[in-house]
């Protein structure tokens, strides 16, 4: 049933979103903006206060505006009190689900959320897990924790899993566009979850036969992305051997029709970061291993991608050497510390290893990131970030663009007060050939990943 097919006068379902971090706050604001009555529940009182004041902690384009609008319209509120859950129709769980060092799910937050929820579930409610979990978690961990003598999953309340597949920096538009996958504990749960998402977000729903199938869909997506980037990264190193631009190769290779689409090699980069691609493949590896299956591709892709920050640092050191500069007397300005372009997220950012490797070689590293929180950057890297590009690049021997935030799109390299010649390390900017030629005319040297 799409929103347009809804019966006239049918009230919009009310929703509780459990865990109002990046995923939960984007989802809560979007659902509220679409007219649903939404309460966000979080154990972090500071986060709840910030959200109630219309100040999400995350820099996600459109999130602050939507949150403010929904709060003002009375469609959205945030609380630490789980009692708010008992009055809603649908509960969506979006707490964080990190992994331990051995790749197993660190399930303490999910367990705590389920225990709190179990005291407030009302008959007939639909509960949907959106946090990324190893297959079997919703059935074997979540369902028993939610159940009580008076409440049986599948009978007294419905239970489904729907993976969250948003990408940071484009989440607000993707929420209204990406197809949603659902798998229920029983047919009734699957149907109810599918109807909810069609109604709530107006998106296409792909139903799976089981909870486990839906859980695996999410892992398959991120396994594929990480493996694909590993291919791109090794292809970049391979192209380097022949002084071939990897982006030319990828563009031509991707034009080959294959399967239901075409070859689709993603872009190489200074590394893979964020909270998902660095952990979700390990969930696959660990779950398989517990069942006696060795998954080799996860180890390979994680190893390849984890090596990219050091590779990037080495490219910079080699570039300095080519210019006859001693690392111990060189300055490298890192522009963009977040794990990718247009996000403030520093979780598992490759910039950390790049910066640490350069510092270890004696380089003076300066940082500038107009999106990430300066205090968080300083806390992570023990370097106080510069306030402006100009300040960061003053007399620098290298400008390393590790995340190309929108604010960096129009940098006028001609006016940068850098040393000459100066190396531009393109870790994620993918400058076109004309731009590279212009940089060279301006007295810069250029190195990219595989370029
Ligand atoms: N960030 C992403 O790009 C992304 C994308 C897709 C899927 N996911 C998945 O979505 C889930 C959430 O990710 P995130 O990035 O939003 O995490 P996050 O760390 O930003 O937010 C998690 C929130 O849950 C809250 N929380 C923890 N325990 C709680 C409890 N017992 N009760 C209520 N709230 C609790 C935390 O205080 C925090 O606000 C994870 O499973 C993640 O793997 C994340």
């Amino acid at each position: 049933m799409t929103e347009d097919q809804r019966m006239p006068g049918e009230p919009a379902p009310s929703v509780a979103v459990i865990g109002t971090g990046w995923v939960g706050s984007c989802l809560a604001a979007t659902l509220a903006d679409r007219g649903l009555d939404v309460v966000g529940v979080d154990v972090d009182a500071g986060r709840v206060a910030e959200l109630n004041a219309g100040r999400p902690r995350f820099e996600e384009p459109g999130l602050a505006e939507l949150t403010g609008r929904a709060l003002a319209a009375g469609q959205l509120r945030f609380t630490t009190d789980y009692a708010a859950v008992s009055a809603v129709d649908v509960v969506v769980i979006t707490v964080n689900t990190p992994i331990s060092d051995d790749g197993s799910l660190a399930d303490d937050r999910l367990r705590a959320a389920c225990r709190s929820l179990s005291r407030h579930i009302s008959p007939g409610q639909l509960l949907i897990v959106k946090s990324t979990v190893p297959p079997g978690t919703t059935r074997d961990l979540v369902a028993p924790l939610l159940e009580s003598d008076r409440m049986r999953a599948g009978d007294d309340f419905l239970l489904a899993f729907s993976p969250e597949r948003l990408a940071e920096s484009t989440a607000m538009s993707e929420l209204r566009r990406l197809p949603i996958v659902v798998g229920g504990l029983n047919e009734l749960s699957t149907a109810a979850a599918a109807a909810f998402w069609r109604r709530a977000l107006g998106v296409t729903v792909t139903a799976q036969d089981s909870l486990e199938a839906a859980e695996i869909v999410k892992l398959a997506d991120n396994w594929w992305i990480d493996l694909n980037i590993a291919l791109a990264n090794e292809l970049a190193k391979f192209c380097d051997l022949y002084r071939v631009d990897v982006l030319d190769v990828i563009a031509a290779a991707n034009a080959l029709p294959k399967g239901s689409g075409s070859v689709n090699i993603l872009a190489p980069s200074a590394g893979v970061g964020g909270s998902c691609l660095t952990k979700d493949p390990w969930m696959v590896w660990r779950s398989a291993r517990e069942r006696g299956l060795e998954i080799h591709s996860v180890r390979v892709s994680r190893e390849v991608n984890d090596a990219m920050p050091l590779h990037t640092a080495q490219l910079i050191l080699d570039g300095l050497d080519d210019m006859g500069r001693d690392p111990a007397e060189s300055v490298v300005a890192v522009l963009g510390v977040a794990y990718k372009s247009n996000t403030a997220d520093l979780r598992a950012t490759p910039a950390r290893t790049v910066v640490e490797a350069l510092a270890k070689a004696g380089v003076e590293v300066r940082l500038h990131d107009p999106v990430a929180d300066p205090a968080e950057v300083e806390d992570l890297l023990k370097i106080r970030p510069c306030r402006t590009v100009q300040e960061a690049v003053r007399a620098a021997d290298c400008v390393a663009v590790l995340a190309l935030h929108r604010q960096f799109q129009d940098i006028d390299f001609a006016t940068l007060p850098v040393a000459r010649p100066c190396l531009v390390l393109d870790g994620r900017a993918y400058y076109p050939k004309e731009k590279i030629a212009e940089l060279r005319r301006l007295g810069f040297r250029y190195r990219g990943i595989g370029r």
Side-chain angles (χ1 to χ4, degrees), residues 18-24 41-44 47 58 82 94-97 109 112-113 116 130-132 164-168 218 275-276 279-280 339 345 347:
I18 311 300
T20 53
W22 181 79
V23 168
V41 182
D42 204 294
V43 288
D44 182 338
R47 183 160 287 183
F58 311 93
Y82 265 86
T94 55
V95 298
N96 39 338
T97 48
R109 294 156 183 91
S116 302
K130 251 186 169 299
S131 303
T132 304
E164 185 52 82
R165 301 186 294 169
L166 301 171
E168 293 187 20
K218 167 71 192 182
S275 67
C276 291
K279 77 169 162 84
D280 296 352
Y339 85 88
D345 200 339
R347 290 180 285 188

Side-chain angles (χ1 to χ4, degrees), residues 10 32 54 82 100 123 138 167 224 233 244 271 329 343 385 413 420 447:
E10 186 185 325
Y82 265 86
S100 307
T138 309
W224 180 87
N233 282 332
V244 163
E329 289 171 13
T343 177
F413 281 88
R420 300 290 161 119
R447 284 306 301 267

Side-chain angles (χ1 to χ4, degrees), residues 281-336:
W282 286 122
M283 282 189 184
V284 173
W285 176 83
R286 172 73 193 201
S287 305
R289 187 164 240 221
E290 282 170 4
R291 287 156 187 78
L293 174 66
E294 195 63 31
I295 298 271
H296 300 284
S297 56
V298 165
R299 262 188 186 289
V300 170
S301 64
R302 290 285 65 241
E303 201 175 300
V304 168
N305 291 334
D306 278 349
M308 290 313 290
L310 278 184
H311 176 74
T312 305
Q314 195 55 52
L315 284 178
I316 295 172
L317 293 171
D318 291 348
L320 293 174
D321 191 49
D322 286 348
M323 296 189 299
R325 309 271 167 83
D326 177 355
E329 289 171 13
S330 298
V331 173
V332 174
V334 170
L335 302 186

Side-chain angles (χ1 to χ4, degrees), residues 39-227:
V39 57
V41 182
D42 204 294
V43 288
D44 182 338
R47 183 160 287 183
V48 164
E50 285 164 10
L51 285 165
N52 274 327
R55 284 186 283 104
R57 203 173 286 178
F58 311 93
E59 179 59 41
E60 182 63 32
L63 174 61
E65 293 81 349
L66 223 60
T67 303
R69 209 157 72 204
L71 287 167
Q75 292 291 135
L76 178 63
R77 69 191 174 92
F78 297 92
T79 178
T80 54
D81 187 359
Y82 265 86
V85 164
S86 56
V88 303
D89 301 306
V90 180
V91 179
V92 185
I93 301 175
T94 55
V95 298
N96 39 338
T97 48
I99 54 168
S100 307
D101 287 347
D102 64 1
S104 62
L105 177 69
D107 59 15
D108 49 322
R109 294 156 183 91
L110 186 59
R111 278 179 183 276
C114 291
R115 284 202 196 93
S116 302
L117 277 171
S118 70
R119 292 192 279 276
H120 299 283
I121 295 178
S122 299
Q125 278 181 331
L126 165 65
L127 280 90
I128 303 176
V129 179
K130 251 186 169 299
S131 303
T132 304
V133 291
T137 303
T138 309
R139 188 185 304 279
D140 300 332
L141 181 87
V142 173
L145 286 170
L146 293 176
E147 287 182 326
S148 60
D149 292 345
R150 57 179 188 96
M151 287 285 171
R152 308 304 302 169
D155 295 332
D156 302 302
F157 65 91
L158 303 177
L159 180 62
F161 181 84
S162 273
E164 185 52 82
R165 301 186 294 169
L166 301 171
E168 293 187 20
S169 85
T170 46
M172 303 312 280
S173 60
E174 285 185 352
L175 266 163
R176 294 163 199 252
R177 184 161 47 84
L178 287 188
I180 287 219
V181 172
V182 298
L185 182 67
N186 52 13
E187 278 183 28
L188 210 54
S189 298
T190 309
F196 168 69
W197 290 121
R198 287 192 197 104
R199 162 71 185 87
L201 293 173
V203 295
T204 311
V205 173
T206 311
Q208 297 287 305
D209 288 342
S210 66
L211 291 164
E212 288 74 13
E215 289 167 332
I216 291 174
V217 168
K218 167 71 192 182
L219 298 176
D221 279 334
N222 279 357
W223 184 2
W224 180 87
I225 295 169
D226 196 51
L227 199 50

